Amino acid sequence: MNNNKNRLSLAVALGLLGSVASTNSMAAGFQLAEYSATGLGRAYAGEAAMADGADAQWRNMAMLTYLEGTQISVGGIYVDPNVDVEGSSKFLGKTIHTKSEDFAHDAFIPNLYVSHRVNEKLALGVALGTNYGMETDLDDNFAASHFGNTASIITKELNLNIAYQVMPQLSVGGGVRYVMGEGHFGATIPQQMGPLLAGKTLKYMEGTDKAFGWQVGTAWQINDANRIGFTYKSEVKLNLEGHAKGLGFDLYANNKSDTYAGSMALAMPATAELASFHQLTESIAIHASLNWTDWSSFEKLEANIPSLKKPVQDIKDEHWEDNYRIALGGTYQLNQKITLRSGIAYDTSAVSDKNRTITIPETDRTWLSIGAGYEWSQNLSLDAGFTYIIAKDAPITESRGYPSDDIAQGFGGKFKGETTGSVWLLGVQANYRF
């Protein structure tokens, strides 16, 4: 049993020549939803229409116009995913039962937000967090490691935002995103290939890159009790530059080396959210969100290794699908000091049953969330949230019939199995108003 758990609570890995993946831990693909403990307590329902504190700008920059003075929000979310893959490999007439349990690392995801109201109409904001992240390490004795055994994508973001109140009912906002990314991807020869080859690296790549993106948002105050928000974040294209190594690269080498300089393009997809907020009574409010992620733009991975005889290599066919998420939450103002929150959400998978892989234990997920806020003083408030995510059991078969999979299958046979999993998340946050 591998007791290592996912540092950023998602898993991504490559097959023989690589494949990006995610665990069932948070949002679909290698996307992270965990931007604040306040939102966590309501399953991130209505986020693009909410203005609890400076963290509101992460999901909708226009909400900065709803915040007074200067505010700071700082916090973090601890994630404990429990994801298993189990099945069997068929190789040279033998059936080998194999599994990897609890292979995603624990994670702590921090965040920091600052907002400043310049005047009645103009507001500015700075945000530090992440929209994407993933890492996985399957057991060393996993009998399907030729389809992928380790991978990681970790991003950090700095956002500079501005918002303007065009009229009392309408605010608009926008921002620049500076994204710093790093990642590694690999596959090894499984034990069934014999002691001389077992564990040897088939392919391993790692690299880093920095890139810019943008985001826009708007908020419409229908009346005192009802509000709608919309936000859009652009695609961010990373080209992870670093080095590669392994037997798979050696086959194409003009001059065999321990490592080969190279790069791999990896895009962080565009996202959008439509959200609403409704104050039903003085103490009760409900809110809802519909989120979309452009995962259909992720069709395949290619590596560029200039020193090889074949510089551009088709690494893995992916054929992901657009992902949708629907969330419904509620807020109850118990008294002047205490606010209670709850929510439920359904997050669809970014892959079909056919395109799910061993290193993509990616399925539909149901979120169940509760949270609370405490007004410590006129300036300081504290928030906490807890979520339990139930992942749908799902089948996995590799090779899926794509050329990149068929090559991998030659190093250890076909795999057929199932993924199961669940996740719990606990977040805390402090908000200070000057």
Side-chain angles (χ1 to χ4, degrees):
M1 176 176 177
N2 182 352
N3 290 317
N4 291 327
K5 294 186 177 180
N6 197 322
R7 185 171 127 205
L8 286 182
S9 36
L10 288 175
V12 68
L14 301 180
L16 169 61
L17 302 180
S19 76
V20 174
S22 159
T23 66
N24 301 308
S25 29
M26 277 143 327
F30 43 88
Q31 186 179 17
L32 293 170
E34 289 67 27
Y35 82 100
S36 83
T38 309
L40 180 67
R42 52 180 177 251
Y44 298 109
E47 297 307 287
M50 306 289 283
D52 301 290
D55 56 312
Q57 65 186 292
W58 188 259
R59 293 292 275 266
N60 188 351
M61 311 97 254
M63 300 311 298
L64 285 166
T65 62
Y66 285 78
L67 304 175
E68 297 298 330
T70 300
Q71 301 190 25
I72 297 177
S73 295
V74 60
I77 296 174
Y78 178 74
V79 185
D80 183 12
N82 297 279
V83 182
D84 305 331
V85 173
E86 184 172 2
S88 60
S89 290
K90 291 187 177 181
F91 187 65
L92 298 178
K94 296 182 179 180
T95 299
I96 304 166
H97 181 266
T98 187
K99 63 181 177 180
S100 186
E101 297 180 312
D102 203 13
F103 62 85
H105 303 200
D106 291 352
F108 180 74
I109 307 172
N111 53 69
L112 172 65
Y113 310 95
V114 180
S115 67
H116 177 66
R117 188 71 174 263
V118 178
N119 54 44
E120 291 184 358
K121 293 184 177 295
L122 181 65
L124 304 175
V126 177
L128 288 168
T130 179
N131 277 305
Y132 298 96
M134 56 215 118
E135 187 175 8
T136 191
D137 289 296
L138 282 87
D139 290 4
D140 292 339
N141 61 357
F142 189 61
S145 60
H146 50 298
F147 290 111
N149 77 308
T150 182
S152 170
I153 290 292
I154 297 173
T155 65
K156 303 171 186 176
E157 273 197 39
L158 168 65
N159 294 175
L160 300 178
N161 299 313
I162 186 171
Y164 188 78
Q165 189 179 56
V166 180
M167 58 183 69
Q169 297 80 23
L170 181 65
S171 294
V172 296
V176 176
R177 302 165 59 199
Y178 179 61
V179 181
M180 298 158 280
E182 60 181 85
H184 70 254
F185 313 88
T188 60
I189 297 177
Q191 290 184 341
Q192 57 264 37
M193 289 293 287
L196 294 178
L197 292 175
K200 288 188 178 296
T201 300
L202 282 171
K203 290 223 168 178
Y204 178 86
M205 297 186 67
E206 67 177 46
T208 62
D209 193 23
K210 300 172 183 177
F212 286 95
W214 54 271
Q215 54 192 1
V216 293
T218 185
W220 176 33
Q221 192 70 43
I222 301 172
N223 53 44
D224 291 342
N226 299 280
R227 182 165 60 243
I228 293 176
F230 175 79
T231 187
Y232 178 88
K233 295 178 182 286
S234 74
E235 179 181 86
V236 176
K237 295 182 178 180
L238 295 174
N239 189 41
L240 302 177
E241 295 187 358
H243 71 267
K245 63 180 180 179
L247 300 176
F249 294 115
D250 292 342
L251 294 174
Y252 295 95
N254 291 304
N255 297 298
K256 186 177 177 181
S257 175
D258 291 338
T259 62
Y260 307 94
S263 64
M264 178 184 295
L266 184 62
M268 307 293 104
T271 65
E273 178 179 358
L274 178 64
S276 65
F277 171 84
H278 310 279
Q279 191 73 46
L280 301 183
T281 69
E282 289 186 3
S283 58
I284 299 175
I286 61 172
H287 16 89
S289 286
L290 175 63
N291 297 79
W292 164 84
T293 303
D294 186 25
W295 284 120
S296 61
S297 62
F298 185 41
E299 295 183 356
K300 64 179 180 178
L301 284 173
E302 288 183 339
N304 186 1
I305 315 293
S307 63
L308 300 184
K309 297 174 184 177
K310 183 183 176 183
V312 178
Q313 299 195 18
D314 184 6
I315 291 180
K316 186 89 172 180
D317 290 281
E318 296 293 350
H319 304 291
W320 285 25
E321 302 174 347
D322 286 355
N323 154 259
Y324 296 90
R325 184 180 194 273
I326 186 168
L328 178 65
T331 300
Y332 178 63
Q333 192 69 43
L334 182 64
N335 53 47
Q336 290 184 344
K337 292 283 187 180
I338 300 175
T339 302
L340 302 179
R341 306 180 182 97
S342 185
I344 185 171
Y346 188 76
D347 205 358
T348 65
S349 172
V351 298
S352 63
D353 284 348
K354 174 184 177 180
N355 286 312
R356 185 177 297 109
T357 70
I358 297 165
T359 49
I360 309 181
E362 155 79 354
T363 74
D364 295 352
R365 291 160 299 281
T366 301
W367 293 51
L368 304 174
S369 303
I370 57 173
Y374 181 73
E375 197 79 17
W376 184 274
S377 68
Q378 185 176 354
N379 301 102
L380 177 65
S381 64
L382 304 174
D383 292 310
F386 175 82
T387 290
Y388 183 70
I389 300 176
I390 305 167
K392 181 181 178 181
D393 296 352
I396 301 174
T397 299
E398 289 200 89
S399 169
R400 300 164 296 158
Y402 301 123
S404 56
D405 286 359
D406 292 340
I407 295 173
Q409 185 170 314
F411 286 89
K414 184 175 183 177
F415 175 85
K416 188 172 184 178
E418 184 181 55
T419 178
T420 59
S422 63
V423 190
W424 65 263
L425 307 93
L426 178 64
V428 292
Q429 184 171 310
N431 311 287
Y432 193 82
R433 297 174 288 275
F434 294 92

